[in-house]
Structure formats: structure tokens, C-alpha cells
Amino acid sequence: MNLDEKLAQLVGYWVDQGDDLVAPMAGEMATSTKYEDATVHGIGHLTRVYGTRPVDPVARAAWLWGEQRRLQEETRLGIPAIVHEECLTGLAAWKAATFPTPLAWGASFDPVLVEEMGRLIGESMRQLGIHQGLAPVLDVIRDPRWGRVDECIAEDPYVVGTIGTAYVRGLQDAGIHATLKHFVGYSASRAGRNHAPVHAGPRELADVLLPPFEMAVRDGGVRSVMNSYAEIDGVPVASSDELLTGVLRERWGFDGVVVSDYFAVAFLHTMHAVAEDLGAAAALALAAGIDIELPTGDAFAAPLADAVRDGRVEESLVDRAVLRVLAEKEELGLLDATFDEPPTEIDLDTPAHRDLAQRLAAESVVLLSNDGILPLELPANARIAMIGPNADSPEALMGCYSFVNHVLAHHPDVPLGLELPSLAGALRAELPDAAIDVVPGCAVEGDDASGIPEAVAAARAADVAIVVVGDRAGLFGRGTVGEGNDVDDLELPGLQRRLADEVVKTGVPTIVVVLSGRPYAIGWALSGASAPAAVLQAFFPGEAGGAGIAEILSGRTAPSGRLPVSLPRSAGAQPYSYLHPILGGPSEITSADSRPALPFGHGLTYTSFEHVHLTAPAESETDADFTVVVEVGNTGSRAGVDVVQLYARDVYASVTRPVAQLVGYARVPLEAGERAVVRFHVPAGRLAFTDRRGVRIVEPGDVELWVGPSCEERDTSATMRLTGPTHDVTASDGRTVAVAVETGVRA
């Protein structure tokens, strides 16, 4: 291979790139290189051929098959391209199924269902000739003001790691290479601002931000990783050989391909100012360990060629990256592919997709409060007032990286391309005998209060009012949450709180449903005279989200979601994490209260559960596994699912430790009156932390263990002592907790 042929394998080309804002600074960074010129020597990646604008899947597949044949027949080496697409909430393509957003995955606490979802998404992608998916996002939530919270799974690294790894397994079982995003630190930006500097210490990096990525690499076998846009303590990750090579490859043994986030290599020159030109930016990124520049070859094409030819960059670095890319193409079967017959019939939204989307949506709904109004027990011919800007809005069910909000927002004349009933439409189907009146009352944003009197009148005429508030996902100022839509307060946008308050004041039983991409400061809705009768939180539940919420409201299904992120008290209390040390909580030496309105792990249901008889060994070695046993009982009158949460606290340690840390969890379905014994087989490594040397260790000492309905409540507890010498954690130490559930027995 000559240099031009090598570099062609290290870049992508965005065939449909235009002015639509579907990536940061996409307009400013648009390439002027013609496609024919960019592919003379082949190409590494084709960027989002299905996901940039609405294209008919069958017609675009025919084009893609032909283009792959052209690359085989008309370039000297005949190497086809890798095709990558976004797939965070399902394949981001027209007419493709859209699943709940990742924050809803976290609320479900169900890695098994998420893995099944990943497999279905991957199967759709394979039909279309796609090879790589830019998901999952493994950023741990650190500040709900950050616009990309809806793309994240949880504020707990273990939940992020287990559920994210499940998604990786599902996608890769279908033959699609998953891509971990965004390695690393992106979510820890100052004040929750997108692309803002990160000042995380090495311990926060090692103990909170890196573990989910390590799990997906070592336990999930992920084949691709994408760098973070962040700069950590002044060093942009795209130029960090310490992270991209030292941690990822040398410490963890990753042997796949590292791709740049879109324009991240060029940003080393234009935004970080650590490279004087694009050639210098390419040199930094390549040396650090980035193998492929996406979405186009702004730096890895001509600028890198010039830098190699004039001696500024050693060609051996190019060779290293090319060998990794060719190995990936061989692994994907591209080097032997024939591209004979493109598909002529494609269904990207089958009954199987919709069934799973509804199951995951229902599992992810979190019942925050309930005075007994739910499940609804309405008289025949009851009248329901559906009020609020999100009551009859299909788009309100979808996250930022759904095709509907990510792309179709730029094409208002194009139909949605899939069945997408709003919550009002779904509730009509769920309760066909009820009369449902829909009144928006106000918009998601803005200060127009003219519709509120009509909403109040509708509520007064109804037996029950359901006020549906929250977000509208979008990008870069279009919407209230999503990439680039960061906020400096956490009140509901616009006049939505006022709308809810006015409806509650009517005295009509009122349920508030929050459809959002971030948790809002809604403590006012949870207690006091202005509180509604019940509050449901749904994090962008996807195409079947309306049906999933409707079956919760009707009582056909009991809610089982739990908060994957603390419900904030206020914006001023941020950043907050339940994983705080003693000094991170409330105390008598400050008048500021950092406690959340509701804690991590909280969620009600339509029955009641008890947790009793927690047992753990009195002692266990620092390098050994131990088993914790708890008895769970459904003490209510109907079936339900309990999310059993095992927490731990290191009582005294050589560095400060969190007051609570989730060790393991399990979804346990129980009939009324049924009991079960849950066994958590815990590797000692789940209690590891980074010591003063910068080494991950398990330290001897006392550990408190408890099970409860959230991180703040202890239903049953025990204390054990870790004994023996301090243990330095290695790759052979376990990272996940095995759970066994035996129903019909007692501890």
C-alpha cells in the first residue's frame, strides 16, 4: 500500500453532509472534497448513509451495494468501506424502530432486556449493510444540567457498566461492532456545559468514570471505542496517549479500533489550540492512539500526508492504525464480501421490535409519588382531561438521538415513517370507554399563558386530570434537552409548573406525568398542598412509550422502574452524586442543602415489599468472593416486581469513601404473598478504590451492607470485615456480581 492508500483507510466520508445540525459545528466543518476524489484510493468509513436525511431504506441499500462493488472494482486494492450509523435509541434511520433512551434503560435496571434490544437493533443494521454502531454511551451522569443526560444510563458506574455491556453483547451478537462513547470524562464538564473543561482528579477518573468502559472492554469484548471531546486538566483526550493507549490498550488489553468523535481531531487545532495546524492535530491524535478520523478526513487525509512526507510524522504510526482498520474489516467479513443482491424488502419496525419497545418502556416508568389514585379506577364513561404540551405530542416520547428528533426535525414535510401514538392516543386505546379531552395549556417553552384557562376549565369538567409536562429533545438550541442544550436551572421549562399548579388548585384529582431527558427539580410536586395525587417519571420512552405509560396508568402493569439518577433539589445543589463522601452531604457547618428531592434507586409500585434477614459472612479475605443473602417478600395484594438493591459502605478507609455504594441489584417478580431468597455472589473487587499511590485496591476493614428501596433506606443490614493484606486489583479480579433468585422459600 502506498501512503495515499493507507490514509484513505483511516478516514470517513459523509456523503449526505449538509447544513442540518446533526453534529457539533457540522456547518463550519463541512468538507469541500468531492466524494469521487475522496474515494480514489478507497475509503475507511462511509458516514451515516441512512441516518443523515430521510432516505428509503430499500433504495439506499441498492445504492450502497453498488457503491461497495465500485470500491472493489475501481480502486486498486478493492477494499470495501465500513458503514457506521448512530444507534443509541435504535437505528437512527427513517422508518426504523425507536426504543427508550438510555436513561430509561437505567431506570429499568434490566440488562437482560437491554441485551435483547441491542440484538434486535443489530439485526436491523445488518439487513442494511451497516457494520458499526456509534453506541452505547457509557458516560456516568455527574450533573443533570448537562444536555446529554438522556443519552446516559445512570449516575452509578456499576449500573452504567452492566447495562452498557449488555447492550454491547446484544449488538455484537448480531454482527455489528459497538462503539463505546465517550472515552472518557465527557459528562464531568464544569457546570454541566457541553465541551467544557473537565477537572476530575485521578481518583474520580479511576473509580467513577473509567469502570464502565473497562467492563465493556474486558467483559463485553467491545470492538470499537470513540474518544471524548473533553479536555481533562488541560489535556484533550483526543491527544492523550496515557488514556487512549496506556489505559485502553496496555492496561485493559483492548485490541479493536479507536475512532474519533466527529471533528475531534480538527478540534485539537480549532477549539483546544494544542496544535498549530491540521497536520499537527493529526500527528497528536495518531500518536495518542486514534486510528480513524470521523466523519471525514479533515486532518488524516491531505494534512497528515504532508506531515508524513515532510518528516513530521513517522509512517510507522500510520501503518499501526491501518493494520488495526484492516483487521477490523477482515473480522467483519468485508475483505471477502461479494455484495451481489441488496435486500428488496426491509421491515425495520416489526411486531418484535414494537413488543420489546413497549416492554422496556413500561419497565422504565418510575412512580415517584402516589396517594392511592393509581392505578386508575374510573367509573364507566369517565371523563379524563389530558393537559399539557406533551400530552398529545409523539415527538415528546423520543430522545435527542432518535431519528424523529435528530433528523426529521429538519424535514417537517416528511412523515414520521412509523407508528408513533402520543400518550393521549395510547390512553384512548387503553381506556376505550373513557372520554378523553386534550388541552395543551401551554407550550414546552415560552411564556404564553393564554391557554391555561382552557386547561383549567377542562380539568374542572373531568373526573381526573393528567398533566403531561417535560422536555422536547433537540440539538444545539433546538429543544430543551439534548446535545448542546445545557441549562443553568432545573425548573420545568416555560410555564409548565404554573400549568400543573393551576390544575391541582381545581381540586380535581391530578396526575402529573413527566416526559423528559433529564431529572427536574420537582420537589414541589411530591409533597405539600400544591402536590398532585401522583407523579410518574418517564425518560423519553420511545415509539411505544405512550402505550407503556398507559398500561401503568390503567393498572394492567405495575410500575417497576427506579430512579437511575437522583432527583435534584435545585440547580444550585449541583453537581451532586449519591456517591458522595461524608463532607458531600448535609451538615451543620453549611446552610446549603445538597440532598436530592428523591434519592437514587427510588421507585414505588402498586404493592409493597419487605426485605429481611440479610446475612453476610463475618469475615472475608480481601481477594476473595463472598455471598450476601436477603429474603424478599411481596406483602401487598397484587403482583409486582421489586428491584432489590444491595449497598455497601466502607466504614474507615485510607481515603474518603462514599456513604453509600450500589454493590449489586436484581429484578425480582413476585406474586402477592410470594417470597424469595436472593443471593448476591460478590467479588471483593466490587469494593475496590484507588489508593494514595494511584493503585486500585481492596483494603481490609469493616464494611456495612444493607438492602433497601433506595440508597438512603436500610430495611435490613449486616456488617462484615475484610481481612488479610491489602489486595492490588488485577484483570483477573471479578467486576460483576452474580445473582441467584429462588422463589417460594425463606432465608
Side-chain angles (χ1 to χ4, degrees):
M1 298 175 74
N2 61 42
L3 180 61
D4 289 332
E5 290 169 333
K6 293 175 183 177
L7 295 180
Q9 293 300 313
L10 303 187
V11 300
Y13 193 90
W14 203 340
V15 179
D16 290 328
Q17 185 180 3
D19 295 329
D20 295 343
L21 285 177
V22 294
M25 300 178 67
E28 293 90 335
M29 303 298 293
T31 182
S32 60
T33 304
K34 293 182 179 179
Y35 177 59
E36 294 76 12
D37 296 333
T39 57
V40 167
H41 302 290
I43 198 75
H45 274 240
L46 291 176
T47 295
R48 297 184 66 178
V49 298
Y50 294 95
T52 303
R53 61 184 178 86
V55 293
D56 179 75
V58 172
R60 181 46 64 106
W63 173 88
L64 178 59
W65 261 246
E67 181 53 31
Q68 295 282 34
R69 287 195 301 270
R70 186 189 73 80
L71 290 171
Q72 289 178 321
E73 297 165 1
E74 298 181 17
T75 63
R76 188 178 75 88
L77 299 175
I79 301 173
I82 292 173
V83 179
H84 75 259
E85 293 287 352
E86 300 285 0
C87 57
L88 190 69
T89 61
L91 172 61
W94 193 41
K95 300 183 180 182
T98 304
F99 295 92
T101 204
L103 194 54
W105 310 353
S108 77
F109 281 80
D110 192 346
V112 174
L113 199 57
V114 169
E115 182 171 344
E116 186 180 343
M117 176 192 68
R119 191 172 297 109
L120 274 179
I121 294 170
E123 289 169 358
S124 292
M125 296 172 79
R126 287 295 292 177
Q127 288 185 67
L128 296 175
I130 301 165
H131 312 98
Q132 185 167 336
L134 304 187
V137 170
L138 298 187
D139 293 301
V140 178
I141 296 169
R142 305 300 279 167
D143 193 326
R145 294 174 295 180
W146 192 47
R148 303 193 77 168
V149 165
D150 84 288
E151 300 178 46
C152 304
I153 295 169
E155 72 177 271
D156 179 84
Y158 185 68
V159 175
V160 176
T162 49
I163 291 180
T165 299
Y167 180 88
V168 167
R169 289 195 181 107
L171 199 70
Q172 295 194 163
D173 281 352
I176 301 297
H177 283 188
T179 304
L180 306 184
K181 297 161 52 173
H182 305 85
F183 185 79
V184 61
Y186 190 28
S187 59
S189 59
R190 280 192 166 183
R193 287 177 48 241
N194 201 37
H195 287 222
V198 171
H199 291 278
R203 187 166 290 105
E204 181 180 359
L205 197 67
D207 292 352
V208 177
L209 301 175
L210 282 172
F213 292 93
E214 181 180 9
M215 292 174 70
V217 169
R218 285 182 158 158
D219 304 328
V222 74
R223 304 308 302 141
S224 181
V225 172
M226 175 181 280
N227 75 281
S228 161
Y229 286 129
E231 58 177 77
I232 302 176
D233 199 21
V235 178
V237 174
S239 66
S240 174
D241 61 335
E242 178 183 0
L243 290 169
L244 296 177
T245 297
V247 172
L248 186 59
R249 294 192 184 277
E250 294 172 0
R251 190 190 307 172
W252 295 349
F254 175 71
D255 61 355
V257 173
V258 176
V259 301
S260 79
D261 204 342
Y262 283 14
F263 312 116
V265 179
F267 285 169
L268 293 174
H269 167 58
T270 61
M271 295 182 69
H272 295 293
V274 296
E276 62 184 0
D277 56 31
L278 291 177
L284 281 173
L286 192 66
I290 289 180
D291 302 308
I292 290 183
E293 182 185 17
L294 298 179
T296 56
D298 299 287
F300 272 21
L304 181 54
D306 292 341
V308 172
R309 289 183 174 119
D310 65 20
R312 286 181 289 152
V313 176
E314 294 182 6
E315 192 166 351
S316 60
L317 289 176
V318 175
D319 293 344
R320 180 181 71 174
V322 171
L323 287 171
R324 291 170 180 165
V325 173
L326 293 178
E328 181 182 26
K329 290 191 173 186
E330 181 179 33
E331 186 177 338
L332 287 165
L334 275 168
L335 301 186
D336 301 315
T338 56
F339 301 101
D340 291 330
E341 297 181 6
T344 56
E345 293 184 8
I346 301 173
D347 187 351
L348 303 176
D349 191 22
T350 67
H353 288 86
R354 299 196 66 82
D355 173 69
L356 191 145
Q358 184 166 338
R359 282 188 285 140
L360 185 55
E363 284 191 2
S364 69
V365 175
V366 184
L367 180 58
L368 301 182
S369 65
N370 184 21
D371 72 355
I373 191 174
L374 292 177
L376 288 172
E377 294 182 1
L378 298 173
N381 303 315
R383 183 168 293 278
I384 300 173
M386 291 288 288
I387 294 167
N390 285 344
D392 203 21
S393 169
E395 292 83 0
L397 300 168
M398 314 293 257
C400 169
Y401 266 76
S402 67
F403 192 79
V404 168
N405 287 330
H406 199 77
V407 177
L408 283 185
H410 300 287
H411 304 271
D413 296 331
V414 176
L416 295 178
L418 72 167
E419 184 183 343
L420 182 54
S422 67
L423 178 53
L427 195 62
R428 286 191 178 100
E430 183 75 18
L431 302 173
D433 295 331
I436 296 178
D437 301 317
V438 177
V439 181
C442 67
V444 170
E445 299 179 88
D447 57 2
D448 183 358
S450 61
I452 293 180
E454 182 185 358
V456 169
R460 287 199 174 105
D463 296 295
V464 64
I466 300 175
V467 183
V468 190
V469 296
D471 278 319
R472 188 62 47 84
L475 288 84
F476 312 116
R478 178 175 49 79
T480 58
V481 73
E483 186 172 0
N485 289 330
D486 314 310
V487 295
D488 56 13
D489 75 61
L490 291 171
E491 292 296 320
L492 284 173
L495 300 178
Q496 295 181 88
R497 176 176 177 176
R498 176 177 166 185
L499 174 66
D501 283 342
E502 292 295 325
V503 172
V504 170
K505 286 177 184 176
T506 65
V508 173
T510 301
I511 300 161
V512 169
V513 177
V514 184
L515 288 172
S516 68
R518 63 162 59 90
Y520 279 100
I522 56 170
W524 52 269
L526 303 175
S527 62
S530 63
V535 180
L536 284 171
Q537 171 69 62
F539 296 111
F540 291 148
E543 66 176 36
I549 298 169
E551 65 181 87
I552 298 290
L553 292 170
S554 74
R556 184 159 57 89
T557 299
S560 60
R562 302 292 187 270
L563 284 175
V565 59
S566 306
L567 197 72
R569 175 178 299 274
S570 68
Q574 307 310 310
Y576 173 87
S577 170
Y578 93 94
L579 293 165
H580 63 78
I582 293 173
L583 293 188
S587 71
E588 296 179 354
I589 57 176
T590 175
S591 59
D593 192 349
S594 61
R595 290 174 299 179
L598 287 173
F600 172 87
H602 171 84
L604 306 177
T605 187
Y606 295 155
T607 187
S608 56
F609 295 100
E610 68 171 3
H611 310 103
V612 295
H613 307 316
L614 181 75
T615 60
E619 294 185 349
S620 184
E621 295 288 326
T622 54
D623 61 352
D625 297 353
F626 59 91
T627 299
V628 179
V629 181
V630 66
E631 182 181 325
V632 184
N634 183 342
T635 57
S637 59
R638 61 173 291 167
V641 176
D642 188 24
V643 177
V644 182
Q645 304 164 49
L646 173 64
Y647 291 93
R649 180 193 172 204
D650 195 340
V651 181
Y652 295 101
S654 55
V655 300
T656 61
R657 301 290 295 129
V659 296
Q661 173 193 348
L662 183 72
V663 173
Y665 62 89
R667 287 180 60 89
V668 180
L670 293 173
E671 296 295 325
E674 189 177 19
R675 307 189 74 82
V677 169
V678 182
R679 290 181 172 83
F680 295 94
H681 192 65
V682 183
R686 283 293 300 125
L687 303 176
F689 62 90
T690 300
D691 70 4
R692 300 187 186 202
R693 301 170 297 157
V695 175
R696 292 269 291 172
I697 63 167
V698 180
E699 198 172 62
D702 290 338
V703 177
E704 296 174 350
L705 298 161
W706 70 94
V707 167
S710 75
C711 65
E712 291 187 354
E713 300 168 86
R714 302 187 181 196
D715 286 353
T716 178
S717 60
T719 300
M720 63 172 283
R721 185 169 185 82
L722 292 172
T723 60
T726 296
H727 172 64
D728 290 358
V729 174
T730 68
S732 62
D733 286 278
R735 284 167 292 278
T736 57
V737 175
V739 181
V741 178
E742 187 178 0
T743 56
V745 297
R746 303 180 78 105

